[in-house]
Amino acid sequence: MNKSLLAFILFLLTFNNFFAQQPQKPTTSEIYESIKKLNFLGSVLFIAAHPDDENTRLISHLSNDIKARTAYISITRGDGGQNLIGTELGPLLGIIRTHELQEARKTDGGEQIFTRAIDFGYSKNPDETFSIWGKDAVLSDVVLAIRKFQPDIIINRFNHRTPGTTHGHHTASAILGVEAFDLAADKSAFTNQLSHFESWQAKRLFFNTSWWFYGSQEAFEKADKSNLVALKTGEFYPSLGLSNGEIAALSRSKHQSQGFGNTGTRGENTEYLELLKGPMPSDTSNLFEGIDTSWSRIDGGEEIGKILIQVEKDFDFKNPAASIPQLVKGYKLLKNRTDFWGKQKTKEIKKIITASAGLFLEAVSETQYSSPASQIKLNLEAINRSEVSMELIDVIFNTKSLLIEKKVLVNNQRVTLESTILLPKNAIYNSPYWIKKQPSLGLFSVDDINHIGLPEINQNEPVTFKVAIEGETFTFEREIIYKFNSPVTGEVYQPFQVLPEVTGRINNKVLIFSEPKSQQVSVTVRAGKDKLSGIATLQHPNGWTVSAPQTFELDTKDQEKEIIFTVTPPKNQSEGSLNLLLQVGDAYYNNEIVTLNYVHIPFQHILVPAQAKVARIELNINGQNIGYIAGAGDEIPSALSQIGYQVTEIYLESMTSESIKQFDAIVVGIRAYNVHDILRFRQEILFDFVKNGGNLILQYNVSRGLVTDQLAPFDLKLSRDRVTDETAKVHFINPNHPVLNIPNKITQTDFENWVQERGLYFANEWADEFNPIFRMSDPNEKTVEGSLVIAQYGKGNIAYTGLSFFRQLPAGVSGAYRLFANLLSLSN
């Protein structure tokens, strides 16, 4: 894809998606649907393992057709997967996928919940999964979610009875759902939760089955369905102009980091639910049979329901504000209630009143971020776009009133204010709460029970607007935001963040020392406020030496300064971390800012430790000039550059036999044959490169959805084989093969300290020309030999590898560097 075309596509994506970050401004039809939902007192909790596991068609049906309060609990945040839109992996990928799920729920009408479980990559059975997560801890989180959400119906996405047939996380999520269904009602289970939340017994537990779980459509059609509930989910919503299938596709398409763009469908569709616990409804199309979902469900609810059901009947699509007087009456009856549904419906009715009046309240900072104890200027706006009587009584930040006098909010007349506020000294840095503390092997560390499960939190003070509507005082909280005008997309919203007064970064995240010689290490210090000075120190492992601490001075906020340290490794092999420590006065800082800037999720700065991996290893390289065909996104080019290779990106649109002659080797990035259709027209060019003496290294591709069956000049088939145990024993099939000896002697030591996995999507069929190099297996599983296969072709070599170099090199795994250098050095 040429750069101008890519830029145009990105412009279109930006134009279509930047609205996702703006405040929601419901249409009249959406307000009416919210009122219908206000009059339904029932809820459903859907349980699965990862972002993308949820059934968006079913969630949309439950939320938009049945009008149930519907939530999806994803046991993990998806931080162990791959990234099709960037190079972020691990916790940063988990942050991206957390926001993608939130955007999906905004689309299909659901809510989002998580547990503390870490997605550690593919797991082959639930026993392994629980051994890493700690079953009791994650079970506690699922029980907590049920007690918080109080669902009437719980639905598992996966089958708890078939361990070993799918991802271990999948089966584990279903096992957790089955066990938590009963434990949430057991007052002797997880008693620490009961001082915060009540025990809760859901009415029914289902498994969302389909033909896939039966092996084929034919087998499913023949199966006994007497224990199944069939839901028709193909409805069309005239008020929205969309079918349920179209909403579901829009929701699923929010999972951009996984490449799950989806085309909407129209027409009839049926979802099947197998009853696991609770009474079977006699009407198998009615999930809520026997559950009171009317206002009669709560004490005194009949009076409230009489008012609000009439609001629904009398709703004026031309003038939704006409409903406000009656909505305010309903609010008065709800506002002091302490029962679950009373509190929930109070929140809902406030939002409906706001939307019906076109009431817009906003607090905008003139800067995108600031540090604790600093002053920021706020632009405040309030406008009532209806004939309803309103008055702005007060605007408060951190107990201080920002309003000099009350303001009558006259129809369609803006009230704007400017104010300067002082951020508290104890303001909390805005960064995802679940990554602030060091996690255990399988669990994020979250201390506050009220935070567990939340998608995100902002622990800093919002701006509070007090508004009198029809004589009743309402309190509305608004997070401080930042916005600016883009000449391309117009109004752009970003969250306002509290960040440290100084941050820094070590500019290379992995530093490989192949000789006991000193290297210059570049550090960048960035000011979070004006007039800043301090001392930068580079902390180092034992046996390493680093030049003396250095002073820095920065005059203006956002100014950066580069500092050079000299780092000397020990003579012998050694690995560890360099950690940047910044001192300003008596305060110490050790954070780096990583910016996530994707159009489909909110822009944000993330705080991570300012550190880099360092390794003194024996490493030799042959050749120097490497071509790289980018795939789905990885950091291998920068890793190779760090150890002395000159790496040049190859653009497939302009690639010719002549243009690639210069390279000693060409590396094809991960999943390139899944995402670049043009590769099927460039294979002969690559094969000629090999025939003429070049090395071609193909990294892993997903076995399904390949753009060509001709990955190599000889037969080569990919599978779903993988070895998930990163400590699995590796056997050398041919110890004399050059890839194990030149220019680095590869030993068992080189497979120590690997992260997350050995590899994935190994080859399982190959022509005789290919030589398998390694034999390995997960515990109690068959041995596989397709992790690395190499064939000579003409004067050169072609290799396919499922070994997860894309994880190992950015993690600084020394043995992976040595093996990859050997791959690049192959010759006949």
Side-chain angles (χ1 to χ4, degrees):
M1 183 181 294
N2 64 56
K3 291 184 177 180
S4 60
L5 178 58
L6 177 61
F8 179 69
I9 291 174
L10 289 175
F11 163 75
L12 291 178
L13 288 172
T14 302
F15 185 81
N16 288 326
N17 289 321
F18 81 100
F19 291 103
Q21 300 182 31
Q22 294 190 357
Q24 291 182 315
K25 301 168 186 176
T27 64
T28 300
S29 293
E30 289 169 333
I31 295 169
Y32 176 65
E33 295 300 323
S34 296
I35 292 172
K36 290 166 69 176
K37 198 164 188 176
L38 181 67
N39 286 322
F40 188 94
L41 281 68
S43 57
V44 181
L45 181 64
F46 193 89
I47 301 176
H50 310 106
D52 85 357
D53 285 343
E54 80 274 31
N55 184 338
T56 54
R57 183 183 286 106
L58 184 54
I59 290 174
S60 176
H61 169 78
L62 294 167
S63 180
N64 297 308
D65 188 60
I66 295 180
K67 304 302 178 188
R69 187 183 178 210
T70 307
Y72 170 46
I73 178 169
S74 179
I75 302 298
T76 75
R77 295 177 186 262
D79 29 304
Q82 287 87 51
N83 184 358
L84 291 184
I85 60 173
T87 60
E88 297 89 354
L89 295 174
L92 291 176
L93 177 57
I95 295 166
I96 292 171
R97 292 189 173 178
T98 292
H99 285 284
E100 288 178 338
L101 274 176
Q102 289 177 274
E103 295 302 322
R105 297 294 80 76
K106 290 178 187 176
T107 303
D108 59 35
E111 301 175 36
Q112 188 59 52
I113 304 172
F114 294 95
T115 76
R116 293 169 293 167
I118 295 174
D119 179 358
F120 56 85
Y122 194 87
S123 177
K124 294 184 177 179
N125 61 74
D127 290 338
E128 178 198 38
T129 299
F130 287 136
S131 71
I132 293 175
W133 285 349
K135 182 181 179 182
D136 285 349
V138 184
L139 181 59
S140 168
D141 287 2
V142 178
V143 168
L144 178 64
I146 294 171
R147 288 171 172 174
K148 282 184 179 182
F149 191 74
Q150 295 193 9
D152 299 303
I153 308 293
I154 297 176
I155 301 173
N156 278 344
R157 182 67 181 107
F158 298 105
N159 192 345
H160 68 288
R161 298 159 296 197
T162 54
T165 61
T166 182
H167 197 320
H169 296 181
H170 292 170
T171 311
S173 73
I175 292 171
L176 292 169
V178 170
E179 295 187 15
F181 179 84
D182 294 318
L183 287 173
D186 184 349
K187 293 185 179 181
S188 67
F190 306 113
T191 55
N192 62 306
Q193 299 175 5
L194 296 176
S195 60
H196 302 269
F197 306 99
E198 299 176 356
S199 59
W200 180 254
Q201 179 62 70
K203 185 79 169 179
R204 297 184 177 99
L205 173 68
F206 291 99
F207 157 45
N208 180 199
T209 191
S210 69
W211 69 263
W212 188 88
F213 293 97
Y214 286 75
S216 69
Q217 185 71 49
E218 182 181 6
F220 181 63
E221 289 175 358
K222 293 179 180 178
D224 177 13
K225 297 184 180 61
S226 60
N227 198 37
L228 303 186
V229 168
L231 298 179
K232 298 294 184 182
T233 61
E235 51 273 309
F236 173 67
Y237 305 111
S239 63
L240 302 177
L242 294 168
S243 71
N244 192 62
E246 289 170 316
I247 294 173
L250 291 170
S251 174
R252 191 156 183 79
S253 296
K254 299 299 182 182
H255 296 299
Q256 293 187 18
S257 67
Q258 301 185 77
F260 280 164
N262 204 260
T263 300
T265 60
R266 291 146 293 281
E268 292 185 1
N269 185 79
T270 304
E271 288 290 337
Y272 292 94
L273 304 178
E274 178 188 349
L275 183 70
L276 300 179
K277 293 193 175 189
M280 186 71 174
S282 56
D283 177 359
T284 56
S285 65
N286 182 7
L287 284 185
F288 286 90
E289 184 182 83
I291 301 169
D292 189 353
T293 59
S294 72
W295 282 102
S296 299
R297 180 169 191 162
I298 63 174
D299 291 339
E302 290 83 359
E303 183 181 0
I304 301 168
K306 184 177 180 181
I307 296 169
L308 297 180
I309 290 169
Q310 194 63 42
V311 168
E312 180 181 333
K313 290 179 179 178
D314 296 342
F315 186 75
D316 186 346
F317 282 83
K318 293 183 178 180
N319 181 24
S323 299
I324 290 178
Q326 293 300 106
L327 287 168
V328 171
K329 284 185 180 179
Y331 171 80
K332 289 178 180 179
L333 296 174
L334 279 168
K335 66 177 182 177
N336 294 320
R337 297 187 67 107
T338 59
D339 57 290
F340 177 82
W341 280 110
K343 290 188 288 186
Q344 175 61 27
K345 295 302 178 180
T346 299
K347 295 176 189 175
E348 291 179 27
I349 203 169
K350 281 177 67 175
K351 290 181 180 179
I352 294 170
I353 290 170
T354 303
S356 298
L359 176 61
F360 184 82
L361 304 168
E362 192 168 70
V364 181
S365 167
E366 291 189 355
T367 182
Q368 200 275 327
Y369 76 94
S370 194
S371 55
S374 61
Q375 288 187 331
I376 62 170
K377 291 182 179 179
L378 287 185
N379 294 312
L380 306 165
E381 178 180 347
I383 184 169
N384 165 27
R385 289 170 286 187
S386 73
E387 295 291 348
V388 173
S389 172
M390 289 192 199
E391 185 178 25
L392 182 61
I393 298 173
D394 206 352
V395 182
I396 301 166
F397 177 77
N398 199 25
T399 72
K400 177 186 174 183
S401 176
L402 308 181
L403 188 65
I404 297 174
E405 60 181 359
K406 298 178 182 179
K407 303 281 187 179
V408 175
L409 297 180
V410 180
N411 182 18
N412 216 29
Q413 294 187 20
R414 294 172 64 209
V415 172
T416 58
L417 306 166
E418 293 183 358
S419 184
T420 299
I421 63 171
L422 179 66
L423 296 177
K425 289 183 180 180
N426 61 348
I428 298 170
Y429 300 147
N430 289 109
S431 198
Y433 73 93
W434 66 92
I435 66 168
K436 287 188 173 183
K437 297 182 67 176
Q438 184 68 27
S440 65
L441 176 63
L443 208 67
F444 291 113
S445 179
V446 181
D447 295 329
D448 191 333
I449 193 172
N450 293 294
H451 294 164
I452 293 173
L454 298 178
E456 60 180 340
I457 56 173
N458 183 354
Q459 293 175 269
N460 289 308
E461 287 288 326
V463 172
T464 300
F465 292 81
K466 289 189 175 181
V467 181
I469 303 175
E470 292 287 308
E472 178 68 21
T473 300
F474 289 79
T475 299
F476 301 100
E477 292 184 345
R478 295 290 184 268
E479 301 289 351
I480 299 172
I481 54 94
Y482 169 70
K483 67 179 180 180
F484 63 92
N485 184 70
S486 163
V488 176
T489 59
E491 187 178 54
V492 176
Y493 278 77
Q494 295 177 354
F496 169 77
Q497 294 185 263
V498 179
L499 299 172
E501 62 179 347
V502 64
T503 56
R505 66 180 182 273
I506 303 172
N507 293 316
N508 287 317
K509 300 308 175 200
V510 178
L511 298 158
I512 303 297
F513 293 73
S514 58
E515 298 178 340
K517 294 181 180 179
S518 300
Q519 289 187 25
Q520 303 297 298
V521 175
S522 170
V523 166
T524 299
V525 179
R526 178 178 180 178
K529 68 176 186 179
D530 296 338
K531 304 298 181 184
L532 197 71
S533 63
I535 301 170
T537 302
L538 206 53
Q539 299 174 321
H540 54 84
N542 291 334
W544 295 68
T545 59
V546 174
S547 53
Q550 299 189 46
T551 60
F552 59 86
E553 291 188 4
L554 299 165
D555 294 327
T556 59
K557 182 181 177 182
D558 292 328
Q559 181 182 351
E560 294 186 340
K561 180 178 181 179
E562 184 182 23
I563 298 173
I564 303 296
F565 288 92
T566 300
V567 177
T568 306
K571 292 182 179 181
N572 299 321
Q573 182 163 320
S574 174
E575 297 183 13
S577 295
L578 296 178
N579 297 280
L580 180 61
L581 185 65
L582 304 171
Q583 181 180 0
V584 177
D586 295 329
Y588 292 87
Y589 303 89
N590 61 356
N591 288 123
E592 172 183 351
I593 290 177
V594 176
T595 300
L596 296 181
N597 189 10
Y598 292 100
V599 296
H600 67 301
I601 61 174
F603 172 96
Q604 60 189 303
H605 296 306
I606 310 298
L607 294 176
V608 299
Q611 62 184 26
K613 177 72 180 289
V614 290
R616 163 72 179 101
I617 62 176
E618 294 295 333
L619 176 66
N620 300 302
I621 65 173
N622 289 336
Q624 187 173 10
N625 201 4
I626 307 300
Y628 202 90
I629 297 173
D634 62 59
E635 296 182 346
I636 286 182
S638 62
L640 297 180
S641 297
Q642 214 284 313
I643 59 173
Y645 287 105
Q646 179 180 325
V647 184
T648 303
E649 184 172 355
I650 296 173
Y651 294 99
L652 292 169
E653 292 83 357
S654 57
M655 184 180 78
T656 64
S657 296
E658 187 65 29
S659 70
I660 62 175
K661 277 184 178 180
Q662 59 180 306
F663 300 120
D664 300 310
I666 292 175
V667 181
V668 181
I670 59 174
R671 299 177 75 167
Y673 288 93
N674 299 125
V675 299
H676 297 315
D677 188 67
I678 195 174
L679 259 174
R680 64 191 173 113
F681 303 113
R682 296 292 185 265
Q683 287 297 83
E684 288 304 321
I685 296 174
L686 292 174
F687 296 162
D688 285 345
F689 169 79
V690 178
K691 184 184 290 186
N692 292 325
N695 282 332
L696 178 63
I697 295 98
L698 310 178
Q699 295 184 83
Y700 99 88
N701 284 266
V702 175
S703 55
R704 64 185 183 280
L706 293 167
V707 300
T708 178
D709 294 329
Q710 192 70 25
L711 291 176
F714 315 112
D715 286 343
L716 179 67
K717 304 296 182 185
L718 307 187
S719 70
R720 295 177 62 86
D721 291 346
R722 62 179 76 205
V723 173
T724 62
D725 183 353
E726 66 272 27
T727 68
K729 179 74 172 177
V730 178
H731 301 274
F732 298 177
I733 296 174
N734 181 2
N736 295 320
H737 194 284
V739 79
L740 298 176
N741 294 278
I742 303 172
N744 303 287
K745 179 67 175 178
I746 303 300
T747 69
Q748 291 297 329
T749 304
D750 291 299
F751 288 94
E752 294 177 356
N753 302 317
W754 281 48
V755 298
Q756 185 158 320
E757 62 202 359
R758 289 296 189 202
L760 63 171
Y761 292 102
F762 294 171
N764 68 338
E765 294 182 31
W766 51 81
D768 291 340
E769 286 84 354
F770 278 103
N771 292 303
I773 306 302
F774 301 119
R775 181 182 298 119
M776 62 185 75
S777 69
D778 278 320
N780 303 316
E781 293 205 356
K782 69 175 183 177
T783 297
V784 291
E785 297 184 348
S787 63
L788 174 61
V789 293
I790 301 172
Q792 292 182 4
Y793 180 59
K795 298 178 182 179
N797 295 274
I798 182 168
Y800 174 81
T801 180
L803 294 171
S804 57
F805 288 108
F806 73 102
R807 294 194 192 279
Q808 312 311 319
L809 299 192
V813 177
S814 58
Y817 275 91
R818 288 162 48 82
L819 179 56
F820 209 92
N822 284 12
L823 279 168
L824 296 173
S825 303
L826 285 170
S827 61
N828 289 339

